């Protein structure tokens, strides 16, 4: 799908079906297209964790925490 919200939903379907690699692909592409969308970046990092992409998840969480250390929801993913 071309619409960003439809692609987010597609990523969630992949996640629900335990198709984590596909979810990561969709979410990483979206995150690169919308770099100011923090919620999307968090979701991409969480998907990386689910897919055992620990280095990629850590890098994304580090960037998120570095940009806004005052958000406790970011620290949970960073610590994991």
């Amino acid at each position: 799908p071309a619409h960003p919200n439809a692609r987010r939903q597609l990523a969630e379907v992949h996640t629900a079906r335990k198709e984590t690699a596909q979810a990561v692909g969709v979410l990483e592409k979206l995150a690169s297209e919308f770099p100011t969308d923090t919620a999307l970046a968090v979701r991409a990092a969480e998907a990386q964790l689910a897919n055992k992409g620990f280095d990629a998840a850590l890098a994304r969480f580090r960037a998120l925490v570095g940009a806004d250390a005052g958000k406790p929801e970011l620290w949970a993913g960073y610590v994991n």
Side-chain angles (χ1 to χ4, degrees):
H3 195 274
N5 285 334
R7 290 189 287 160
R8 281 186 196 212
Q9 290 177 356
L10 176 61
E12 295 308 322
V13 169
H14 285 308
T15 300
R17 296 181 69 182
K18 308 290 188 218
E19 298 168 347
T20 56
Q22 293 89 336
V24 166
V26 173
L27 289 165
E28 288 293 341
K29 184 163 173 48
L30 279 167
S32 70
E33 292 173 21
F34 301 96
T36 60
D37 188 333
T38 302
L40 185 55
V42 168
R43 190 64 198 98
E46 292 169 344
Q48 286 286 7
L49 282 175
N51 196 45
K52 299 187 184 353
F54 302 119
D55 291 338
L58 179 60
R60 190 169 287 283
F61 276 118
R62 272 190 184 146
L64 288 162
V65 168
D68 193 354
K71 289 189 175 178
E73 64 271 18
L74 299 178
W75 283 95
Y78 181 73
V79 171
N80 286 330

